[in-house]
Amino acid sequence: MPTKIFYNLTDDILFKNTFYHKKLTIDLLNSFFSYLKQDKKILDVRISKDKSLYGLNRDNKINYGDIIAYLNTNEIVSIEMYTDFDKEEFNKSVTYLSKLYSNQLKRGQKYIQAKKVININFMSGNYHKENEELVNDYSFIRRIDCPSNKDECMEMYLVRLDLVKNIVYNKTNERLVRWLKFMNAQSYEEMKQIGKDDEVMEQAIKYIDEFLEKEGTTFQDKIDYEKVKSFDDGLIKGEKAGIIKGKKAGIIETAKKMLKDGLNINSIAKYTGLSKEEIENLN
């Protein structure tokens, strides 16, 4: 591994930069739908990374999807990776789902013209103590008078990474289980062992290596920065929050010194990662 610290695919930055490669996403999606025993075979996809999802009002909150795949089955799939999954993340996923559905349409179009949207969340934890299966389905239809899934317009899945540890996979078992174990590997050696002699997974390891080598030490910086932003939103809990907050306090002190030395705001923003607004408020 080109870095001293091992990162697995439960990190959303690494996840999105790995599954941005079409071949991997097609294989993952086919394994997912096969696990659900759905008669669906994905042959091709168009993929967007960090796709912005927002409303017409410029002040609306902007959300970014990890991976958005446009399938040749006339469906749209949002794939998200969550380290922690609680009520905030569930609400966030519902927002992604509804925005993807409604943003397809232009003024004057009917909602029946919109394509079905599927949201797949890879996560850990038993959210609301109701998603006890490996794959949990939350469908947006009225089951009483719509017993089939032909009229489903939106569907959300929660995939429990924490349950896969004790599930044994083999050639007759589901490929999805192997993918989940691969994502959840706790060491580089374990990841290589799971992906051994598998062309697609070995390719995934190559992409992971290339990304970490290209990013170098800045990858940990990006992770820290994402955690600092999450702290500001009140999403990080426990003792890690204090560590992250301390790091940001150090960055702020550095920015103050740079201001005092006469550096312009654009340069300070570039070197500290703080926004221009944050820097202006330091005066």
Side-chain angles (χ1 to χ4, degrees), residues 76-110:
I76 300 172
V77 177
S78 168
I79 308 172
E80 302 286 333
M81 174 62 73
Y82 290 97
T83 304
D84 299 306
F85 196 93
D86 210 327
K87 185 176 178 61
E88 173 76 16
E89 289 71 31
F90 183 85
N91 291 344
K92 180 180 175 183
S93 292
V94 172
T95 301
Y96 282 2
L97 193 59
S98 58
K99 282 190 175 183
L100 268 175
Y101 184 75
S102 61
N103 285 2
Q104 299 176 59
L105 302 173
K106 296 179 181 179
R107 184 175 297 178
Q109 287 186 305
K110 303 293 186 183

PDB file of all heavy atoms in Angstrom, residues 76-110:
ATOM      1  N   ILE A  76     -32.669   5.111 -12.705  1.00  0.00           N
ATOM      2  CA  ILE A  76     -31.542   5.871 -12.167  1.00  0.00           C
ATOM      3  C   ILE A  76     -31.206   5.298 -10.793  1.00  0.00           C
ATOM      4  O   ILE A  76     -32.099   5.061  -9.983  1.00  0.00           O
ATOM      5  CB  ILE A  76     -31.895   7.366 -12.038  1.00  0.00           C
ATOM      6  CG1 ILE A  76     -32.263   7.953 -13.409  1.00  0.00           C
ATOM      7  CG2 ILE A  76     -30.722   8.146 -11.431  1.00  0.00           C
ATOM      8  CD1 ILE A  76     -32.796   9.365 -13.343  1.00  0.00           C
ATOM      9  N   VAL A  77     -29.924   5.069 -10.538  1.00  0.00           N
ATOM     10  CA  VAL A  77     -29.499   4.501  -9.258  1.00  0.00           C
ATOM     11  C   VAL A  77     -28.523   5.451  -8.568  1.00  0.00           C
ATOM     12  O   VAL A  77     -27.526   5.869  -9.168  1.00  0.00           O
ATOM     13  CB  VAL A  77     -28.834   3.120  -9.432  1.00  0.00           C
ATOM     14  CG1 VAL A  77     -28.334   2.594  -8.091  1.00  0.00           C
ATOM     15  CG2 VAL A  77     -29.802   2.134 -10.057  1.00  0.00           C
ATOM     16  N   SER A  78     -28.829   5.782  -7.325  1.00  0.00           N
ATOM     17  CA  SER A  78     -27.912   6.545  -6.487  1.00  0.00           C
ATOM     18  C   SER A  78     -27.250   5.578  -5.522  1.00  0.00           C
ATOM     19  O   SER A  78     -27.932   4.833  -4.817  1.00  0.00           O
ATOM     20  CB  SER A  78     -28.684   7.627  -5.710  1.00  0.00           C
ATOM     21  OG  SER A  78     -27.881   8.184  -4.694  1.00  0.00           O
ATOM     22  N   ILE A  79     -25.906   5.567  -5.497  1.00  0.00           N
ATOM     23  CA  ILE A  79     -25.158   4.660  -4.629  1.00  0.00           C
ATOM     24  C   ILE A  79     -24.392   5.494  -3.609  1.00  0.00           C
ATOM     25  O   ILE A  79     -23.598   6.361  -3.987  1.00  0.00           O
ATOM     26  CB  ILE A  79     -24.186   3.782  -5.443  1.00  0.00           C
ATOM     27  CG1 ILE A  79     -24.928   3.075  -6.589  1.00  0.00           C
ATOM     28  CG2 ILE A  79     -23.504   2.759  -4.537  1.00  0.00           C
ATOM     29  CD1 ILE A  79     -24.004   2.338  -7.538  1.00  0.00           C
ATOM     30  N   GLU A  80     -24.632   5.237  -2.337  1.00  0.00           N
ATOM     31  CA  GLU A  80     -24.019   6.031  -1.276  1.00  0.00           C
ATOM     32  C   GLU A  80     -23.318   5.123  -0.267  1.00  0.00           C
ATOM     33  O   GLU A  80     -23.784   4.021   0.020  1.00  0.00           O
ATOM     34  CB  GLU A  80     -25.083   6.854  -0.528  1.00  0.00           C
ATOM     35  CG  GLU A  80     -25.881   7.795  -1.402  1.00  0.00           C
ATOM     36  CD  GLU A  80     -25.098   9.014  -1.829  1.00  0.00           C
ATOM     37  OE1 GLU A  80     -24.163   9.407  -1.093  1.00  0.00           O
ATOM     38  OE2 GLU A  80     -25.400   9.573  -2.890  1.00  0.00           O
ATOM     39  N   MET A  81     -22.208   5.616   0.271  1.00  0.00           N
ATOM     40  CA  MET A  81     -21.505   4.912   1.336  1.00  0.00           C
ATOM     41  C   MET A  81     -21.565   5.755   2.603  1.00  0.00           C
ATOM     42  O   MET A  81     -21.256   6.955   2.569  1.00  0.00           O
ATOM     43  CB  MET A  81     -20.036   4.657   0.945  1.00  0.00           C
ATOM     44  CG  MET A  81     -19.193   4.051   2.052  1.00  0.00           C
ATOM     45  SD  MET A  81     -19.755   2.404   2.606  1.00  0.00           S
ATOM     46  CE  MET A  81     -19.240   1.382   1.222  1.00  0.00           C
ATOM     47  N   TYR A  82     -21.986   5.143   3.717  1.00  0.00           N
ATOM     48  CA  TYR A  82     -22.074   5.837   5.003  1.00  0.00           C
ATOM     49  C   TYR A  82     -21.253   5.098   6.046  1.00  0.00           C
ATOM     50  O   TYR A  82     -21.425   3.895   6.225  1.00  0.00           O
ATOM     51  CB  TYR A  82     -23.519   5.915   5.490  1.00  0.00           C
ATOM     52  CG  TYR A  82     -24.399   6.843   4.692  1.00  0.00           C
ATOM     53  CD1 TYR A  82     -25.225   6.352   3.682  1.00  0.00           C
ATOM     54  CD2 TYR A  82     -24.409   8.212   4.958  1.00  0.00           C
ATOM     55  CE1 TYR A  82     -26.043   7.206   2.946  1.00  0.00           C
ATOM     56  CE2 TYR A  82     -25.226   9.067   4.226  1.00  0.00           C
ATOM     57  CZ  TYR A  82     -26.036   8.563   3.230  1.00  0.00           C
ATOM     58  OH  TYR A  82     -26.845   9.412   2.505  1.00  0.00           O
ATOM     59  N   THR A  83     -20.381   5.826   6.749  1.00  0.00           N
ATOM     60  CA  THR A  83     -19.664   5.234   7.878  1.00  0.00           C
ATOM     61  C   THR A  83     -20.626   5.037   9.043  1.00  0.00           C
ATOM     62  O   THR A  83     -20.663   3.989   9.688  1.00  0.00           O
ATOM     63  CB  THR A  83     -18.498   6.134   8.309  1.00  0.00           C
ATOM     64  OG1 THR A  83     -17.659   6.365   7.181  1.00  0.00           O
ATOM     65  CG2 THR A  83     -17.696   5.482   9.427  1.00  0.00           C
ATOM     66  N   ASP A  84     -21.412   6.065   9.325  1.00  0.00           N
ATOM     67  CA  ASP A  84     -22.462   5.993  10.355  1.00  0.00           C
ATOM     68  C   ASP A  84     -23.805   6.256   9.685  1.00  0.00           C
ATOM     69  O   ASP A  84     -23.883   7.035   8.742  1.00  0.00           O
ATOM     70  CB  ASP A  84     -22.223   7.043  11.445  1.00  0.00           C
ATOM     71  CG  ASP A  84     -20.902   6.839  12.158  1.00  0.00           C
ATOM     72  OD1 ASP A  84     -20.685   5.722  12.651  1.00  0.00           O
ATOM     73  OD2 ASP A  84     -20.094   7.781  12.210  1.00  0.00           O
ATOM     74  N   PHE A  85     -24.841   5.611  10.179  1.00  0.00           N
ATOM     75  CA  PHE A  85     -26.163   5.804   9.581  1.00  0.00           C
ATOM     76  C   PHE A  85     -27.185   5.915  10.692  1.00  0.00           C
ATOM     77  O   PHE A  85     -27.413   4.972  11.437  1.00  0.00           O
ATOM     78  CB  PHE A  85     -26.518   4.650   8.649  1.00  0.00           C
ATOM     79  CG  PHE A  85     -27.664   4.955   7.727  1.00  0.00           C
ATOM     80  CD1 PHE A  85     -27.440   5.467   6.461  1.00  0.00           C
ATOM     81  CD2 PHE A  85     -28.973   4.741   8.125  1.00  0.00           C
ATOM     82  CE1 PHE A  85     -28.486   5.760   5.605  1.00  0.00           C
ATOM     83  CE2 PHE A  85     -30.040   5.028   7.279  1.00  0.00           C
ATOM     84  CZ  PHE A  85     -29.785   5.543   6.012  1.00  0.00           C
ATOM     85  N   ASP A  86     -27.781   7.101  10.799  1.00  0.00           N
ATOM     86  CA  ASP A  86     -28.796   7.340  11.817  1.00  0.00           C
ATOM     87  C   ASP A  86     -29.922   8.144  11.183  1.00  0.00           C
ATOM     88  O   ASP A  86     -30.031   8.217   9.957  1.00  0.00           O
ATOM     89  CB  ASP A  86     -28.179   8.073  13.012  1.00  0.00           C
ATOM     90  CG  ASP A  86     -28.880   7.715  14.329  1.00  0.00           C
ATOM     91  OD1 ASP A  86     -30.098   7.461  14.294  1.00  0.00           O
ATOM     92  OD2 ASP A  86     -28.214   7.702  15.367  1.00  0.00           O
ATOM     93  N   LYS A  87     -30.733   8.777  11.988  1.00  0.00           N
ATOM     94  CA  LYS A  87     -31.895   9.505  11.483  1.00  0.00           C
ATOM     95  C   LYS A  87     -31.498  10.599  10.488  1.00  0.00           C
ATOM     96  O   LYS A  87     -32.148  10.774   9.458  1.00  0.00           O
ATOM     97  CB  LYS A  87     -32.677  10.123  12.649  1.00  0.00           C
ATOM     98  CG  LYS A  87     -33.977  10.816  12.229  1.00  0.00           C
ATOM     99  CD  LYS A  87     -34.751  11.309  13.430  1.00  0.00           C
ATOM    100  CE  LYS A  87     -36.023  12.035  13.008  1.00  0.00           C
ATOM    101  NZ  LYS A  87     -36.948  11.192  12.254  1.00  0.00           N
ATOM    102  N   GLU A  88     -30.415  11.328  10.805  1.00  0.00           N
ATOM    103  CA  GLU A  88     -29.951  12.387   9.903  1.00  0.00           C
ATOM    104  C   GLU A  88     -29.617  11.826   8.523  1.00  0.00           C
ATOM    105  O   GLU A  88     -29.990  12.384   7.488  1.00  0.00           O
ATOM    106  CB  GLU A  88     -28.716  13.066  10.505  1.00  0.00           C
ATOM    107  CG  GLU A  88     -28.035  14.082   9.601  1.00  0.00           C
ATOM    108  CD  GLU A  88     -28.767  15.399   9.494  1.00  0.00           C
ATOM    109  OE1 GLU A  88     -29.643  15.670  10.344  1.00  0.00           O
ATOM    110  OE2 GLU A  88     -28.484  16.158   8.543  1.00  0.00           O
ATOM    111  N   GLU A  89     -28.902  10.681   8.494  1.00  0.00           N
ATOM    112  CA  GLU A  89     -28.504  10.077   7.229  1.00  0.00           C
ATOM    113  C   GLU A  89     -29.702   9.495   6.484  1.00  0.00           C
ATOM    114  O   GLU A  89     -29.763   9.548   5.249  1.00  0.00           O
ATOM    115  CB  GLU A  89     -27.450   8.993   7.480  1.00  0.00           C
ATOM    116  CG  GLU A  89     -26.089   9.506   7.890  1.00  0.00           C
ATOM    117  CD  GLU A  89     -26.054  10.073   9.294  1.00  0.00           C
ATOM    118  OE1 GLU A  89     -26.828   9.593  10.161  1.00  0.00           O
ATOM    119  OE2 GLU A  89     -25.258  11.000   9.531  1.00  0.00           O
ATOM    120  N   PHE A  90     -30.659   8.950   7.233  1.00  0.00           N
ATOM    121  CA  PHE A  90     -31.870   8.439   6.590  1.00  0.00           C
ATOM    122  C   PHE A  90     -32.620   9.583   5.900  1.00  0.00           C
ATOM    123  O   PHE A  90     -33.041   9.470   4.749  1.00  0.00           O
ATOM    124  CB  PHE A  90     -32.771   7.758   7.618  1.00  0.00           C
ATOM    125  CG  PHE A  90     -34.010   7.142   7.022  1.00  0.00           C
ATOM    126  CD1 PHE A  90     -33.974   5.865   6.481  1.00  0.00           C
ATOM    127  CD2 PHE A  90     -35.210   7.840   6.976  1.00  0.00           C
ATOM    128  CE1 PHE A  90     -35.107   5.293   5.917  1.00  0.00           C
ATOM    129  CE2 PHE A  90     -36.346   7.284   6.420  1.00  0.00           C
ATOM    130  CZ  PHE A  90     -36.295   6.004   5.887  1.00  0.00           C
ATOM    131  N   ASN A  91     -32.792  10.693   6.609  1.00  0.00           N
ATOM    132  CA  ASN A  91     -33.473  11.855   6.023  1.00  0.00           C
ATOM    133  C   ASN A  91     -32.713  12.396   4.820  1.00  0.00           C
ATOM    134  O   ASN A  91     -33.306  12.826   3.824  1.00  0.00           O
ATOM    135  CB  ASN A  91     -33.642  12.956   7.069  1.00  0.00           C
ATOM    136  CG  ASN A  91     -34.627  12.578   8.161  1.00  0.00           C
ATOM    137  OD1 ASN A  91     -35.403  11.631   8.004  1.00  0.00           O
ATOM    138  ND2 ASN A  91     -34.606  13.290   9.271  1.00  0.00           N
ATOM    139  N   LYS A  92     -31.396  12.372   4.910  1.00  0.00           N
ATOM    140  CA  LYS A  92     -30.556  12.817   3.800  1.00  0.00           C
ATOM    141  C   LYS A  92     -30.784  11.935   2.574  1.00  0.00           C
ATOM    142  O   LYS A  92     -30.916  12.429   1.450  1.00  0.00           O
ATOM    143  CB  LYS A  92     -29.087  12.762   4.234  1.00  0.00           C
ATOM    144  CG  LYS A  92     -28.082  13.187   3.187  1.00  0.00           C
ATOM    145  CD  LYS A  92     -26.681  13.082   3.793  1.00  0.00           C
ATOM    146  CE  LYS A  92     -25.604  13.384   2.769  1.00  0.00           C
ATOM    147  NZ  LYS A  92     -24.247  13.216   3.342  1.00  0.00           N
ATOM    148  N   SER A  93     -30.875  10.623   2.790  1.00  0.00           N
ATOM    149  CA  SER A  93     -31.081   9.690   1.679  1.00  0.00           C
ATOM    150  C   SER A  93     -32.453   9.870   1.039  1.00  0.00           C
ATOM    151  O   SER A  93     -32.599   9.766  -0.178  1.00  0.00           O
ATOM    152  CB  SER A  93     -30.924   8.248   2.161  1.00  0.00           C
ATOM    153  OG  SER A  93     -29.595   7.995   2.504  1.00  0.00           O
ATOM    154  N   VAL A  94     -33.469  10.112   1.871  1.00  0.00           N
ATOM    155  CA  VAL A  94     -34.802  10.379   1.335  1.00  0.00           C
ATOM    156  C   VAL A  94     -34.770  11.648   0.475  1.00  0.00           C
ATOM    157  O   VAL A  94     -35.401  11.714  -0.588  1.00  0.00           O
ATOM    158  CB  VAL A  94     -35.835  10.531   2.468  1.00  0.00           C
ATOM    159  CG1 VAL A  94     -37.176  10.998   1.927  1.00  0.00           C
ATOM    160  CG2 VAL A  94     -36.020   9.204   3.204  1.00  0.00           C
ATOM    161  N   THR A  95     -34.008  12.647   0.920  1.00  0.00           N
ATOM    162  CA  THR A  95     -33.872  13.880   0.145  1.00  0.00           C
ATOM    163  C   THR A  95     -33.208  13.605  -1.200  1.00  0.00           C
ATOM    164  O   THR A  95     -33.669  14.084  -2.242  1.00  0.00           O
ATOM    165  CB  THR A  95     -33.033  14.915   0.932  1.00  0.00           C
ATOM    166  OG1 THR A  95     -33.672  15.177   2.173  1.00  0.00           O
ATOM    167  CG2 THR A  95     -32.894  16.211   0.156  1.00  0.00           C
ATOM    168  N   TYR A  96     -32.105  12.830  -1.199  1.00  0.00           N
ATOM    169  CA  TYR A  96     -31.443  12.467  -2.461  1.00  0.00           C
ATOM    170  C   TYR A  96     -32.425  11.808  -3.410  1.00  0.00           C
ATOM    171  O   TYR A  96     -32.486  12.119  -4.600  1.00  0.00           O
ATOM    172  CB  TYR A  96     -30.304  11.478  -2.188  1.00  0.00           C
ATOM    173  CG  TYR A  96     -29.030  12.079  -1.656  1.00  0.00           C
ATOM    174  CD1 TYR A  96     -28.907  13.440  -1.393  1.00  0.00           C
ATOM    175  CD2 TYR A  96     -27.926  11.273  -1.425  1.00  0.00           C
ATOM    176  CE1 TYR A  96     -27.734  13.969  -0.894  1.00  0.00           C
ATOM    177  CE2 TYR A  96     -26.740  11.802  -0.922  1.00  0.00           C
ATOM    178  CZ  TYR A  96     -26.653  13.150  -0.667  1.00  0.00           C
ATOM    179  OH  TYR A  96     -25.490  13.656  -0.187  1.00  0.00           O
ATOM    180  N   LEU A  97     -33.164  10.857  -2.854  1.00  0.00           N
ATOM    181  CA  LEU A  97     -34.082  10.068  -3.656  1.00  0.00           C
ATOM    182  C   LEU A  97     -35.131  10.945  -4.321  1.00  0.00           C
ATOM    183  O   LEU A  97     -35.368  10.868  -5.534  1.00  0.00           O
ATOM    184  CB  LEU A  97     -34.736   9.015  -2.759  1.00  0.00           C
ATOM    185  CG  LEU A  97     -35.504   7.867  -3.398  1.00  0.00           C
ATOM    186  CD1 LEU A  97     -34.603   7.069  -4.318  1.00  0.00           C
ATOM    187  CD2 LEU A  97     -36.060   6.962  -2.310  1.00  0.00           C
ATOM    188  N   SER A  98     -35.783  11.798  -3.536  1.00  0.00           N
ATOM    189  CA  SER A  98     -36.860  12.635  -4.082  1.00  0.00           C
ATOM    190  C   SER A  98     -36.326  13.696  -5.041  1.00  0.00           C
ATOM    191  O   SER A  98     -36.969  14.017  -6.044  1.00  0.00           O
ATOM    192  CB  SER A  98     -37.653  13.285  -2.940  1.00  0.00           C
ATOM    193  OG  SER A  98     -36.813  14.051  -2.118  1.00  0.00           O
ATOM    194  N   LYS A  99     -35.127  14.233  -4.747  1.00  0.00           N
ATOM    195  CA  LYS A  99     -34.556  15.239  -5.646  1.00  0.00           C
ATOM    196  C   LYS A  99     -34.158  14.621  -6.983  1.00  0.00           C
ATOM    197  O   LYS A  99     -34.361  15.221  -8.035  1.00  0.00           O
ATOM    198  CB  LYS A  99     -33.347  15.913  -4.991  1.00  0.00           C
ATOM    199  CG  LYS A  99     -33.726  16.965  -3.947  1.00  0.00           C
ATOM    200  CD  LYS A  99     -32.533  17.776  -3.503  1.00  0.00           C
ATOM    201  CE  LYS A  99     -32.960  18.894  -2.561  1.00  0.00           C
ATOM    202  NZ  LYS A  99     -31.827  19.752  -2.156  1.00  0.00           N
ATOM    203  N   LEU A 100     -33.582  13.441  -6.939  1.00  0.00           N
ATOM    204  CA  LEU A 100     -33.237  12.761  -8.191  1.00  0.00           C
ATOM    205  C   LEU A 100     -34.476  12.495  -9.028  1.00  0.00           C
ATOM    206  O   LEU A 100     -34.450  12.585 -10.259  1.00  0.00           O
ATOM    207  CB  LEU A 100     -32.524  11.444  -7.899  1.00  0.00           C
ATOM    208  CG  LEU A 100     -31.009  11.472  -7.820  1.00  0.00           C
ATOM    209  CD1 LEU A 100     -30.473  10.104  -7.401  1.00  0.00           C
ATOM    210  CD2 LEU A 100     -30.399  11.886  -9.145  1.00  0.00           C
ATOM    211  N   TYR A 101     -35.564  12.141  -8.348  1.00  0.00           N
ATOM    212  CA  TYR A 101     -36.806  11.852  -9.069  1.00  0.00           C
ATOM    213  C   TYR A 101     -37.392  13.119  -9.685  1.00  0.00           C
ATOM    214  O   TYR A 101     -37.688  13.162 -10.875  1.00  0.00           O
ATOM    215  CB  TYR A 101     -37.819  11.215  -8.110  1.00  0.00           C
ATOM    216  CG  TYR A 101     -39.102  10.795  -8.791  1.00  0.00           C
ATOM    217  CD1 TYR A 101     -39.138   9.664  -9.601  1.00  0.00           C
ATOM    218  CD2 TYR A 101     -40.277  11.532  -8.634  1.00  0.00           C
ATOM    219  CE1 TYR A 101     -40.301   9.276 -10.237  1.00  0.00           C
ATOM    220  CE2 TYR A 101     -41.444  11.148  -9.269  1.00  0.00           C
ATOM    221  CZ  TYR A 101     -41.456  10.016 -10.071  1.00  0.00           C
ATOM    222  OH  TYR A 101     -42.606   9.641 -10.708  1.00  0.00           O
ATOM    223  N   SER A 102     -37.517  14.168  -8.895  1.00  0.00           N
ATOM    224  CA  SER A 102     -38.181  15.381  -9.386  1.00  0.00           C
ATOM    225  C   SER A 102     -37.309  16.186 -10.342  1.00  0.00           C
ATOM    226  O   SER A 102     -37.822  16.839 -11.256  1.00  0.00           O
ATOM    227  CB  SER A 102     -38.610  16.272  -8.214  1.00  0.00           C
ATOM    228  OG  SER A 102     -37.488  16.681  -7.465  1.00  0.00           O
ATOM    229  N   ASN A 103     -35.977  16.139 -10.170  1.00  0.00           N
ATOM    230  CA  ASN A 103     -35.088  16.932 -11.017  1.00  0.00           C
ATOM    231  C   ASN A 103     -34.982  16.415 -12.446  1.00  0.00           C
ATOM    232  O   ASN A 103     -34.370  17.057 -13.295  1.00  0.00           O
ATOM    233  CB  ASN A 103     -33.684  17.003 -10.401  1.00  0.00           C
ATOM    234  CG  ASN A 103     -33.626  17.941  -9.222  1.00  0.00           C
ATOM    235  OD1 ASN A 103     -34.624  18.525  -8.820  1.00  0.00           O
ATOM    236  ND2 ASN A 103     -32.451  18.082  -8.629  1.00  0.00           N
ATOM    237  N   GLN A 104     -35.578  15.247 -12.706  1.00  0.00           N
ATOM    238  CA  GLN A 104     -35.594  14.746 -14.082  1.00  0.00           C
ATOM    239  C   GLN A 104     -36.499  15.581 -14.984  1.00  0.00           C
ATOM    240  O   GLN A 104     -36.305  15.636 -16.193  1.00  0.00           O
ATOM    241  CB  GLN A 104     -36.134  13.314 -14.118  1.00  0.00           C
ATOM    242  CG  GLN A 104     -35.355  12.293 -13.348  1.00  0.00           C
ATOM    243  CD  GLN A 104     -36.058  10.962 -13.411  1.00  0.00           C
ATOM    244  OE1 GLN A 104     -36.294  10.401 -14.493  1.00  0.00           O
ATOM    245  NE2 GLN A 104     -36.426  10.428 -12.253  1.00  0.00           N
ATOM    246  N   LEU A 105     -37.507  16.195 -14.367  1.00  0.00           N
ATOM    247  CA  LEU A 105     -38.595  16.799 -15.136  1.00  0.00           C
ATOM    248  C   LEU A 105     -38.375  18.278 -15.396  1.00  0.00           C
ATOM    249  O   LEU A 105     -37.878  19.009 -14.547  1.00  0.00           O
ATOM    250  CB  LEU A 105     -39.921  16.607 -14.390  1.00  0.00           C
ATOM    251  CG  LEU A 105     -40.308  15.153 -14.099  1.00  0.00           C
ATOM    252  CD1 LEU A 105     -41.544  15.114 -13.226  1.00  0.00           C
ATOM    253  CD2 LEU A 105     -40.523  14.383 -15.394  1.00  0.00           C
ATOM    254  N   LYS A 106     -38.772  18.695 -16.575  1.00  0.00           N
ATOM    255  CA  LYS A 106     -38.790  20.105 -16.925  1.00  0.00           C
ATOM    256  C   LYS A 106     -40.206  20.633 -16.735  1.00  0.00           C
ATOM    257  O   LYS A 106     -41.169  19.871 -16.635  1.00  0.00           O
ATOM    258  CB  LYS A 106     -38.339  20.297 -18.376  1.00  0.00           C
ATOM    259  CG  LYS A 106     -36.894  19.878 -18.616  1.00  0.00           C
ATOM    260  CD  LYS A 106     -36.514  20.067 -20.068  1.00  0.00           C
ATOM    261  CE  LYS A 106     -35.061  19.621 -20.309  1.00  0.00           C
ATOM    262  NZ  LYS A 106     -34.678  19.764 -21.733  1.00  0.00           N
ATOM    263  N   ARG A 107     -40.334  21.943 -16.707  1.00  0.00           N
ATOM    264  CA  ARG A 107     -41.649  22.561 -16.509  1.00  0.00           C
ATOM    265  C   ARG A 107     -42.623  22.051 -17.572  1.00  0.00           C
ATOM    266  O   ARG A 107     -42.320  22.008 -18.759  1.00  0.00           O
ATOM    267  CB  ARG A 107     -41.519  24.083 -16.590  1.00  0.00           C
ATOM    268  CG  ARG A 107     -42.815  24.817 -16.313  1.00  0.00           C
ATOM    269  CD  ARG A 107     -42.601  26.312 -16.280  1.00  0.00           C
ATOM    270  NE  ARG A 107     -41.703  26.713 -15.212  1.00  0.00           N
ATOM    271  CZ  ARG A 107     -41.328  27.973 -15.010  1.00  0.00           C
ATOM    272  NH1 ARG A 107     -41.752  28.932 -15.810  1.00  0.00           N
ATOM    273  NH2 ARG A 107     -40.506  28.263 -14.017  1.00  0.00           N
ATOM    274  N   GLY A 108     -43.810  21.656 -17.118  1.00  0.00           N
ATOM    275  CA  GLY A 108     -44.853  21.187 -18.038  1.00  0.00           C
ATOM    276  C   GLY A 108     -44.900  19.685 -18.194  1.00  0.00           C
ATOM    277  O   GLY A 108     -45.900  19.143 -18.666  1.00  0.00           O
ATOM    278  N   GLN A 109     -43.830  18.991 -17.805  1.00  0.00           N
ATOM    279  CA  GLN A 109     -43.827  17.531 -17.928  1.00  0.00           C
ATOM    280  C   GLN A 109     -44.633  16.897 -16.804  1.00  0.00           C
ATOM    281  O   GLN A 109     -44.734  17.447 -15.699  1.00  0.00           O
ATOM    282  CB  GLN A 109     -42.393  16.989 -17.898  1.00  0.00           C
ATOM    283  CG  GLN A 109     -41.597  17.266 -19.166  1.00  0.00           C
ATOM    284  CD  GLN A 109     -40.236  16.583 -19.126  1.00  0.00           C
ATOM    285  OE1 GLN A 109     -39.458  16.773 -18.194  1.00  0.00           O
ATOM    286  NE2 GLN A 109     -39.946  15.795 -20.147  1.00  0.00           N
ATOM    287  N   LYS A 110     -45.196  15.735 -17.072  1.00  0.00           N
ATOM    288  CA  LYS A 110     -45.976  14.992 -16.089  1.00  0.00           C
ATOM    289  C   LYS A 110     -45.053  14.074 -15.281  1.00  0.00           C
ATOM    290  O   LYS A 110     -44.056  13.570 -15.793  1.00  0.00           O
ATOM    291  CB  LYS A 110     -47.055  14.145 -16.788  1.00  0.00           C
ATOM    292  CG  LYS A 110     -48.005  14.943 -17.672  1.00  0.00           C
ATOM    293  CD  LYS A 110     -48.877  15.864 -16.860  1.00  0.00           C
ATOM    294  CE  LYS A 110     -49.914  16.557 -17.739  1.00  0.00           C
ATOM    295  NZ  LYS A 110     -50.728  17.519 -16.972  1.00  0.00           N
TER     296      LYS A 110
END
